[in-house]
Amino acid sequence: MSDKDASRPTEPVEFSVDLTGHELTRRAHVMAALGDDWDPVETVRGEEEAYDLLYSGLDPEQQRLYDTLLAAGVLPRRGGGAGPGDGGDAPTA
């Protein structure tokens, strides 16, 4: 063992960094980038409409595959009512 290796600690050195301040700054920047007119409820509503449109008008084979993916947990179940994969008809656009 060289003298250089002997000076290295053999025990783990405790190291911690508090990122709380950085996280608050990051969140403030995200909210500033979204702007004052950002409406989270409208954003979610738009995402739901896009999802409904994406899975609307499926042919029988596509519906079967969609139902299989739902049953396998690959796609999340949505809403409480009947819809695609729940025995109801897919919504139409």
Side-chain angles (χ1 to χ4, degrees):
M1 182 183 293
S2 71
D3 291 337
K4 187 176 182 180
D5 290 334
S7 66
R8 292 185 183 165
T10 57
E11 297 296 319
V13 176
E14 186 173 324
F15 180 79
S16 66
V17 177
D18 183 3
L19 297 176
T20 305
H22 181 271
E23 177 63 12
L24 293 175
T25 301
R26 185 195 68 80
R27 288 181 185 190
H29 287 297
V30 167
M31 295 307 292
L34 289 171
D36 294 334
D37 59 345
W38 178 63
D39 181 359
V41 173
E42 185 59 35
T43 300
V44 171
R45 188 175 296 125
E47 289 174 358
E48 293 289 323
E49 290 172 3
Y51 187 95
D52 290 343
L53 184 58
L54 178 63
Y55 294 107
S56 66
L58 301 178
D59 66 31
E61 176 61 15
Q62 291 169 329
Q63 185 66 51
R64 184 195 63 73
L65 180 58
Y66 178 87
D67 293 340
T68 301
L69 293 172
L70 275 178
V74 174
L75 294 175
R77 293 213 177 268
R78 298 176 6 101
D86 293 329
D89 293 326
T92 55

